[in-house]
Amino acid sequence: MRELKFLVGISLLSILVGCAGVGVVASSDPLAKLNDAQELFQKQDRPLPAERLIREALAIYKERDDPHGLGNSHRQYGDFLRSPAVSQWETVYRRDGFQDKSVTFDNRLVKASEYYSNALEYYQRAEEQHRKANRFDSLTNVYFNMAWSYQMLNDREKACSSLDRALEANAENVKRNPTVKQFGSITDAVASAKRQARCG
């Protein structure tokens, strides 16, 4: 009987260890899913559960018709496709493919560019919504993410212009909400992004 319990225990452990989603906390919040996915593919080299979470977030934002969330999901899927984590799992992706069946291991960088382009279309819709609603905090975020997407598409001029617009939106947000607390310095983040994009 003791041997049977030991074997059952070992079997359960091997199933859990083999599961790609082990250690991923379930959440219905699409932003939490994107944050978890980023951690998984950027820092833990676990692209399989990361891809699942990005696709789940994308589906939720699509159902909600949330252009800002859709922009973030598409941008992050582009980042995911370009990541070293995906490269390290080449054998698995060549064998099993990606959840987006139009993506292959060989065309993933081209597809990443398509995802960045799609992200920009959604961000432009979000920009219009946030501007009408005077949501300059969200508008700052949209411009910052537009800059990253343009940079990934090698469009330095538009990346730099988007960073300038992020600073303008942030200044307007601070002007309208002088008591608002910000996490970290937006100006420092933009300055760092400008250096990375080699803005003049």
Side-chain angles (χ1 to χ4, degrees):
M1 185 68 162
R2 186 179 296 164
E3 290 174 9
L4 181 60
K5 286 183 180 177
F6 178 75
L7 287 173
V8 169
I10 291 293
S11 296
L12 287 173
L13 183 62
S14 66
I15 288 169
L16 284 174
V17 170
C19 178
V22 143
V24 179
V25 178
S27 173
S28 59
D29 177 5
L31 183 56
K33 287 178 185 290
L34 291 179
N35 290 336
D36 289 345
Q38 185 172 11
E39 171 74 19
L40 286 166
F41 75 80
Q42 284 189 348
K43 296 184 180 168
Q44 297 182 23
D45 291 327
R46 297 177 62 199
L48 298 176
E51 181 181 21
R52 177 179 50 80
L53 290 173
I54 296 168
R55 304 301 295 180
E56 287 173 3
L58 202 150
I60 293 168
Y61 284 129
K62 187 173 185 178
E63 186 178 311
R64 294 179 182 176
D65 192 26
D66 179 339
H68 194 159
L70 284 165
N72 289 341
S73 300
H74 280 81
R75 179 194 50 75
Q76 193 164 94
Y77 201 68
D79 291 347
F80 162 79
L81 292 173
R82 291 173 54 104
S83 73
V86 168
S87 296
Q88 291 173 8
W89 286 68
E90 177 179 356
T91 305
V92 173
Y93 282 109
R94 285 194 184 279
R95 184 189 68 217
D96 301 334
F98 292 84
Q99 289 190 16
D100 176 346
K101 295 306 177 191
S102 72
V103 179
T104 66
F105 189 81
D106 293 324
N107 77 359
R108 72 190 189 286
L109 299 181
V110 171
K111 292 306 251 181
S113 293
E114 288 180 20
Y115 272 93
Y116 291 125
S117 295
N118 290 340
L120 287 165
E121 289 178 24
Y122 286 116
Y123 285 139
Q124 286 161 2
R125 280 182 48 205
E127 174 190 14
E128 189 178 319
Q129 282 184 357
H130 294 324
R131 192 166 287 287
K132 281 182 183 173
N134 292 321
R135 291 288 318 274
F136 290 95
D137 54 342
S138 297
L139 199 55
T140 301
N141 183 272
V142 164
Y143 288 137
F144 196 84
N145 283 298
M146 286 175 83
W148 176 259
S149 300
Y150 280 124
Q151 188 175 342
M152 293 298 99
L153 292 170
N154 296 314
D155 190 335
R156 188 184 345 168
E157 185 179 333
K158 286 185 179 174
C160 296
S161 170
S162 295
L163 289 168
D164 287 338
R165 294 169 85 186
L167 284 176
E168 290 166 10
N170 181 61
E172 186 64 28
N173 184 48
V174 170
K175 180 177 155 188
R176 291 173 182 241
N177 306 290
T179 60
V180 73
K181 298 260 190 236
Q182 292 187 339
F183 299 102
S185 167
I186 305 273
T187 52
D188 288 348
V190 169
S192 174
K194 281 188 165 194
R195 283 192 299 274
Q196 189 175 357
R198 300 186 315 279
C199 299

